[in-house]
Amino acid sequence: MGPFAKDLLKDKVVLITGGATGLGRAMGEKFLELGAKLAICGRREDVLKTAASEMSSFGHEVYYKSCDVRDPAQIYELVDSVEKHYGGIDVLVNNAAGNFISPTERLSPRAVDAVLNIVLHGTFYTTLEVGKRWIEKKTSGTMLNIVTTYASTGSGYVVPSAAAKAGVLALTRSLAVEWAPYGIRQVAIAPGPFPTEGAWSRLSPTPDLEQKMIKRIPLARVGDQEELSNLAAYLISDYAGYINGDVITIDGGEWLQGAGQFNDLSEVTDDQWDELAKMTRRGK
Ligand code: HXC
Ligand code: NAP
């Protein structure tokens, strides 16, 4: 049981980059349950093939094609083949990403490019290829970009990702205005920590680091993929038709924990508060 009518996304054709794994796959399964027709891409053909076959148990068949989003020629082929297969595309989800933790001064230029080329350039290329076609054919559509909370704040130790996701957020907001007259809507989701093999192996590879991450979250838990998928389903549905250019954060309050100057006072005990109150009331 979910919050939506079973036909919320009936016959909408959705293309998800990086849709064979992690959050991309979770979103895809939700969209299928709600009646969407799905296409997924990624670099690894074998991973796509297995995922597409397993995901088809959620509804319609799943169309897949290997595509490296760093290469505009491969994106052209991908979009062309999805259009041929389904007759068009209604929703593009830019979900493919690359990331790892590292002190910035340890990065080589190739390491910087490895992330920027997937996240910023890849997202821009797919957006451009799909957007041009929608504009030419005078069809409306929705683009959902998966960013991060640090797209707005920045973050040490994932600096190429932070810079790239900030660029994607700027792309979202810019095109929300420029392409709105064509009936093209832009939305973004900024997830906090949602355990996936891809993210955890590169960003939280030890139990110690994972616990540190969870400790920072006011709701004291990581996200559930179903929570993110439901948000995504709503945002690409016609019910969200007036949301354009916004980024919705889904992080249990994590980024605000870091932002509020006094939030670390949650560590103060009741006895300590009694003592502190004596001091702070002295100013009266
Ligand atoms: C330092 C690294 C590195 C690491 C790679 N490099 N990994 N440097 N620390 N952990 C360097 C390499 O040494 C090389 O530089 C350069 O980066 C390119 O490496 P390749 O392995 O050739 O890159 P490539 O095959 O293109 O792979 C891209 C990748 C990889 C980003 C490095 O991790 C990948 O494919 N990721 C895709 C999936 C992914 O990252 N998912 C997580 C998304 S989570 P030199 O100079 O040595 O040649 C996310 C948000 C999470 O985005 C937010 C959490 C809250
Ligand atoms: P993931 O499973 O590693 O997903 C990344 C996907 O992108 C993979 O399917 C990967 O497939 C694909 N990909 C990478 N490079 C590509 C390329 N050059 N061309 C085409 N596809 C490529 O990790 P995830 O956690 O689900 O992340 C999904 C999205 O959520 C990302 O945008 C990430 O930044 C965002 N996010 C995740 C979290 C989290 O906690 N999990 C938090 C904030 C934001 P191939 O390797 O086969 O190409």
Side-chain angles (χ1 to χ4, degrees):
M1 256 314 265
F4 304 118
K6 278 284 168 216
D7 61 353
L8 182 79
L9 303 176
K10 192 169 169 20
D11 292 335
K12 271 193 200 295
V13 178
V14 185
L15 168 60
I16 306 179
T17 65
T21 66
L23 302 184
R25 175 160 174 172
M27 286 188 281
E29 289 177 357
K30 175 60 63 181
F31 300 163
L32 285 167
E33 263 177 37
L34 298 171
K37 294 177 175 168
L38 190 66
I40 57 173
C41 78
R43 290 166 299 181
R44 292 166 297 169
E45 175 99 22
D46 53 330
V47 173
L48 286 164
K49 189 175 177 192
T50 307
S53 143
E54 289 170 3
M55 290 166 87
S56 57
S57 66
F58 283 82
H60 298 274
E61 47 117 27
V62 174
Y63 181 78
Y64 71 90
K65 185 170 170 61
S66 68
C67 171
D68 187 330
V69 296
R70 295 172 293 189
D71 178 359
Q74 290 187 40
I75 292 172
Y76 180 91
E77 291 295 325
L78 167 76
V79 175
D80 227 34
S81 71
V82 176
E83 283 192 339
K84 280 201 182 92
H85 187 81
Y86 285 126
I89 296 173
D90 300 298
V91 179
L92 168 66
V93 182
N94 282 308
N95 166 81
N99 198 3
F100 50 79
I101 45 171
S102 173
T104 306
E105 65 276 15
R106 288 185 179 217
L107 296 173
S108 68
R110 282 198 71 233
V112 172
D113 286 352
V115 174
L116 280 166
N117 286 346
I118 303 171
V119 178
L120 182 56
H121 291 258
T123 301
F124 210 132
Y125 297 153
T126 50
T127 297
L128 203 51
E129 186 58 49
V130 172
K132 279 179 178 176
R133 291 174 191 237
W134 284 346
I135 290 166
E136 196 188 316
K137 290 183 195 146
K138 296 188 169 40
T139 55
S140 57
T142 300
M143 293 178 172
L144 167 62
N145 295 329
I146 308 302
V147 294
T148 58
T149 50
Y150 58 68
S152 303
T153 61
S155 174
Y157 305 99
V158 283
V159 173
S161 171
K165 294 283 192 184
V168 173
L169 190 51
L171 181 70
T172 310
R173 289 173 170 153
S174 305
L175 292 181
V177 176
E178 191 181 334
W179 284 357
Y182 300 114
I184 300 174
R185 199 162 63 81
Q186 306 280 332
V187 281
I189 294 178
F194 285 75
T196 64
E197 164 62 27
W200 254 227
S201 61
R202 294 171 175 91
L203 299 157
S204 193
T206 68
D208 204 36
L209 286 177
E210 186 184 28
Q211 280 316 308
K212 249 193 189 127
M213 187 188 279
I214 295 171
K215 210 164 163 255
R216 299 183 64 245
I217 306 169
L219 287 179
R221 66 171 176 88
V222 292
D224 177 340
Q225 296 187 3
E226 179 88 8
E227 293 170 321
L228 184 130
S229 303
N230 280 328
L231 174 60
Y234 168 66
L235 286 175
I236 65 164
S237 79
D238 297 340
Y239 289 94
Y242 202 50
I243 301 179
N244 184 27
D246 221 331
V247 55
I248 314 294
T249 298
I250 177 164
D251 74 340
E254 187 196 31
W255 88 266
L256 291 168
Q257 170 71 37
Q261 201 171 358
F262 291 98
N263 285 340
D264 288 344
L265 293 182
S266 61
E267 287 175 4
V268 175
T269 64
D270 277 349
D271 287 346
Q272 286 170 328
W273 272 122
D274 292 341
E275 286 309 307
L276 285 169
K278 284 180 203 153
M279 295 180 214
T280 54
R281 283 169 193 274
R282 250 177 236 149
K284 197 171 151 191

